[in-house]
Amino acid sequence: MLEGLFGNIIIEKILFFLSVYGEGYPLGIARVFGVPVNRIQQQLKRLENSGIVASRLTGNVRLYTFN
């Protein structure tokens, strides 16, 4: 739906997940959408480098939220 705006479907899914749940971690997001976790991690890194999302380390888990 918004793939043309964001560049790919994975980013659309990540942003949708964060808008619904407020925060998330790569494996949890990957499981919800049934996609490989490395694709989620790549796009989260891209979004974080762009300043759209921010992350924090909680124990062994990196949680992502909107910046």
Side-chain angles (χ1 to χ4, degrees):
M1 178 168 53
L2 300 173
E3 184 178 349
L5 180 63
F6 297 125
N8 69 48
I9 193 76
I10 299 297
I11 289 179
E12 180 181 341
K13 290 177 183 209
I14 291 169
L15 297 177
F16 177 75
F17 184 95
L18 293 178
S19 70
V20 171
Y21 295 105
E23 67 181 10
Y25 60 99
L27 185 58
I29 298 170
R31 285 181 178 162
V32 167
F33 295 112
V35 297
V37 70
N38 65 333
R39 291 187 65 200
I40 297 291
Q41 289 171 323
Q42 289 170 350
Q43 297 308 316
L44 281 168
K45 185 174 183 178
R46 181 175 162 206
L47 289 168
E48 188 171 25
N49 289 340
S50 299
I52 297 169
V53 301
S55 69
R56 70 181 191 284
L57 197 57
T58 305
N60 293 341
V61 177
R62 183 161 298 277
L63 292 173
Y64 291 86
T65 60
F66 280 113
N67 189 4

